[in-house]
Amino acid sequence: MAGGVKKPVNIFRLKNLGEPKNVFNWRLWFAVFSFGLLGAARGVDEGLISGAFSSKDFQKTINLSSYSEVERTNIKANVSAMVQIGSVGGALFAFVICDRIGRIWATRQLCILWILGIAIFMGNGGSLGAVYAGRFIAGLGVGQTPVVGPVYIAEIAPASVRGLCTCIFTGFVYVGIVLAYFTNYGAQINLGDTSHARWLAPTSLHIIFAGLIFILTFFQYESPRFLVKQGKFQKAAENMAHIRNLPVDDAYVVSEITAIRDAHEEELEATMGASWYGVLKEMFLIPSNLYRLYLSAMVQFMSQWSGASAITIYALDFLKILGITGQNESLLITAVFGIVKFVAAIVCALFLVDVIGRKRALLLGITLQAISMIYIAGFLTAVPELGVDESYVVPKAEAAASRGAVAMIFLSGCGWALGWNSMQYLLTAELFPLRIRAVSTSMAMTLHFANQYGNSRAVPNMLLPASQGGISPLGTFWCFAAVTILGGIWVWFFVPETGGRSLESMERLFELPWYRIGLHGNEDADSKDEAINEKQEAAGVVDHVEGRADGDTRV
């Protein structure tokens, strides 16, 4: 079919999709697993840094008590956000690395940067500058992961399960978060808070993941689509055949490689060659590509300022605001919070993204997030002393509402995992044509980390009382609620459904005027698919007839 499989996908019955039975083989899943692990980079950092900074030994190591309250708030924000600053740079040059040395070598070099940065952080010797520098360098590696991982996975996955495969990357974000939360909790319980081991042991998770991913790259094959872009067509066919577990001359492999080559050649012809000027012209002067850039940019903005990412990073602070006291109890709750988000991500990957589609899954997640943010904002409006007056204790009359607000933190995490956090990687990885895929994804992820930095840097100050320059906790959550609702409205009107469509047929979604794409792009693309299928079938019949002996016109 011209546009690929569009019917709902039952992941437990992949053989019913009409694909050759060998396509869904262990090589495919091993490759998806290996590059999906890159998602753990963000998850481990988001889950670890709040617990590490809350360690009394870490605070003593960097002499935090010598600073004023506002200075301590700024230091905490800077330490947390330094990885995001580095990630902006990492995401920005990831496309150069991806397109020059390939997806495999790009993964190896980012792992080296990741390990180097964490090593500097762990050996800081009490220097706040070393803490900043180490986290910045680690960010240069971590920032490349949402470019390299989803792009590679999207490029090797069959269209029918591309959503599932790319969401495995998102799932590993939560694997990282869960492990980080539980190692923080385990270190606090079993190691105490009197030695460096309290924060060094959990931080070593970074090195474990980076080392494992580095090793796994030596068992993987380069993306066939990257090889086509490099003009290595035979190697591309061989790699595709290996991943599909089919012979090189199998009709399925031949048709895939042919479609990739044809699409790439059309891109080159449309933009007059392979110069940087041609790439920029293709990105910004072709309306369909400009609309895709607009979609990817807005996804990053709306998702990061909806508040869920900040809740992950500052989970301990938000739980304290809502009335949860005690370091051990808070760490345990954050660990369970991580599990809830992980389960939600698995549900999204297995039963939603390729079944009900990207757009419906995203809207479902946004709805859950909006409900939770409005509840928490309303609760804090009713009890404005929380998070502002440190001596205030939640009265028994408000205890049930306080527990409800904590439950809403869990609901927001569930909605985030079902919606924005899954789609911000998947949509970005599958929207763009091959020639501009790496640079466009890199640009989108640069915006991702820039917004994440702005959010993670701003939230500690936003939570401060108005007298200290903040907007208080209740103002912060009303802000999150407003952005979440606006995001849902935007998705409804402007985001088309991309599920089940091959990467090479994605162009048909964006041929309508920009204001009609979100609501009518799929209907228009489906009609174009039918027309193309009819032409292909007619051409096949003609070829079949012409290939027979003269006078024999049987079909």
Side-chain angles (χ1 to χ4, degrees):
M1 290 181 61
V5 179
K6 299 182 186 66
K7 61 185 178 182
V9 175
N10 183 340
I11 60 99
F12 300 107
R13 294 184 177 180
L14 295 177
K15 63 181 180 180
N16 295 338
L17 293 177
E19 309 272 18
K21 64 179 182 179
N22 288 9
V23 167
F24 304 109
N25 63 85
W26 70 268
R27 291 170 178 170
L28 171 67
W29 302 121
F30 181 43
V32 170
F33 171 84
S34 299
F35 279 82
L37 273 172
L38 287 167
R42 275 193 55 233
V44 167
D45 186 70
E46 291 178 6
L48 281 179
I49 191 57
S50 181
F53 197 91
S54 299
S55 164
K56 292 181 174 60
D57 180 79
F58 181 79
Q59 294 177 4
K60 181 180 178 181
T61 300
I62 62 173
N63 199 22
L64 189 67
S65 61
S66 63
Y67 299 93
S68 68
E69 181 178 353
V70 174
E71 287 175 330
R72 289 197 296 270
T73 299
N74 285 325
I75 289 172
K76 180 175 184 176
N78 287 334
V79 170
S80 298
M82 198 55 65
V83 162
Q84 279 72 49
I85 298 177
S87 295
V88 170
L92 194 59
F93 69 76
F95 79 92
V96 177
I97 302 296
C98 266
D99 279 347
R100 290 290 177 87
I101 65 176
R103 287 40 165 164
I104 299 290
W105 276 102
T107 304
R108 292 169 186 162
Q109 62 81 31
L110 77 83
C111 287
I112 292 172
L113 284 173
W114 184 7
I115 292 171
L116 176 62
I118 294 302
I120 294 173
F121 171 78
M122 295 175 73
N124 65 77
S127 168
L128 191 57
V131 170
Y132 288 157
R135 286 185 57 75
F136 177 82
I137 293 171
L140 291 175
V142 171
Q144 296 178 59
T145 60
V147 178
V148 180
V151 164
Y152 180 87
I153 293 171
E155 288 185 341
I156 67 163
S160 54
V161 294
R162 190 174 60 246
L164 165 64
C165 293
T166 307
C167 281
I168 288 175
F169 176 91
T170 307
F172 274 109
V173 172
Y174 297 115
V175 170
I177 289 174
V178 169
L179 291 175
Y181 282 159
F182 271 105
T183 51
N184 265 328
Y185 176 67
Q188 179 72 22
I189 295 295
N190 298 304
L191 300 178
D193 205 355
T194 57
S195 71
H196 293 348
R198 162 62 186 85
W199 54 276
L200 286 177
T203 303
S204 66
L205 267 179
H206 281 285
I207 295 176
I208 294 171
F209 271 103
L212 176 60
I213 294 166
F214 183 84
I215 293 169
L216 287 175
T217 62
F218 290 95
F219 299 92
Q220 299 306 326
Y221 286 66
E222 186 55 82
S223 162
R225 285 178 167 88
F226 168 75
L227 294 171
V228 166
K229 187 175 180 181
Q230 297 296 307
K232 300 176 181 179
F233 305 123
Q234 181 59 33
K235 184 64 176 175
E238 291 171 0
N239 283 15
M240 183 67 81
H242 174 85
I243 295 169
R244 298 288 182 260
N245 197 26
L246 293 168
V248 173
D249 58 355
D250 186 88
Y252 187 89
V253 173
V254 172
S255 65
E256 272 198 289
I257 294 298
T258 300
I260 295 168
R261 288 186 63 176
D262 290 347
H264 183 53
E265 288 169 5
E266 288 174 9
E267 293 168 29
L268 289 175
E269 290 175 5
T271 51
M272 302 296 290
S275 67
W276 276 108
Y277 172 71
V279 171
L280 292 175
K281 184 171 72 171
E282 185 172 355
M283 291 173 64
F284 294 102
L285 298 185
I286 295 178
S288 63
N289 289 340
L290 185 61
Y291 190 85
R292 284 181 260 204
L293 287 172
Y294 156 72
L295 284 181
S296 62
M298 286 296 291
V299 163
Q300 303 308 327
F301 177 81
M302 290 293 184
S303 62
Q304 290 305 315
W305 289 96
S306 67
S309 180
I311 291 175
T312 300
I313 296 173
Y314 299 112
L316 294 175
D317 301 273
F318 285 115
L319 290 173
K320 183 178 179 180
I321 288 170
L322 297 177
I324 301 297
T325 58
Q327 180 79 345
N328 293 354
E329 182 181 5
S330 296
L331 286 170
L332 180 58
I333 290 176
T334 58
V336 176
F337 178 50
I339 291 176
V340 168
K341 292 203 290 185
F342 173 65
V343 171
I346 295 298
V347 169
C348 181
L350 296 183
F351 305 108
L352 293 180
V353 70
D354 280 322
V355 178
I356 67 172
R358 279 71 155 148
K359 187 169 183 175
R360 290 177 180 174
L362 179 53
L363 288 171
L364 173 61
I366 289 173
T367 300
L368 295 179
Q369 229 181 304
I371 292 171
S372 62
M373 293 300 176
I374 291 171
Y375 180 95
I376 295 171
F379 170 68
L380 291 173
T381 301
V383 191
E385 298 86 356
L386 283 173
V388 176
D389 182 358
E390 293 190 4
S391 63
Y392 184 81
V393 178
V394 178
K396 289 185 178 180
E398 305 289 349
S402 174
R403 289 193 295 272
V406 173
M408 288 297 140
I409 291 285
F410 283 76
L411 185 64
S412 75
C414 182
W416 170 248
L418 292 176
W420 281 126
N421 199 44
S422 295
M423 300 308 153
Q424 64 181 336
Y425 303 118
L426 175 56
L427 288 176
T428 301
E430 68 183 5
L431 282 177
F432 298 101
L434 174 61
R435 198 162 101 86
I436 64 169
R437 184 171 300 139
V439 63
S440 300
T441 304
S442 181
M443 184 179 295
M445 287 301 111
T446 299
L447 291 173
H448 168 87
F449 285 111
N451 279 285
Q452 190 179 49
Y453 164 72
N455 185 261
S456 61
R457 180 63 185 82
V459 164
N461 295 87
M462 290 169 67
L463 292 173
L464 291 172
S467 60
Q468 296 181 9
I471 60 174
S472 77
L474 71 90
T476 300
F477 274 94
W478 278 120
C479 176
F480 291 159
V483 173
T484 302
I485 293 170
L486 285 174
I489 295 171
W490 175 78
V491 168
W492 176 265
F493 285 103
F494 294 105
V495 177
E497 176 57 57
T498 60
R501 185 166 290 280
S502 72
L503 295 180
E504 285 66 44
S505 72
M506 204 67 71
E507 178 67 29
R508 293 169 211 143
L509 283 174
F510 301 96
E511 293 180 357
L512 288 175
W514 66 269
Y515 53 86
R516 299 191 65 211
I517 291 173
L519 294 177
H520 303 287
N522 295 93
E523 180 182 342
D524 185 65
D526 288 344
S527 65
K528 287 183 171 65
D529 288 345
E530 291 179 7
I532 291 173
N533 286 336
E534 289 174 2
K535 288 181 180 179
Q536 290 175 344
E537 290 172 3
V541 170
V542 170
D543 291 342
H544 187 54
V545 171
E546 290 179 348
R548 293 184 181 275
D550 292 343
D552 186 354
T553 58
R554 290 174 297 169
V555 292

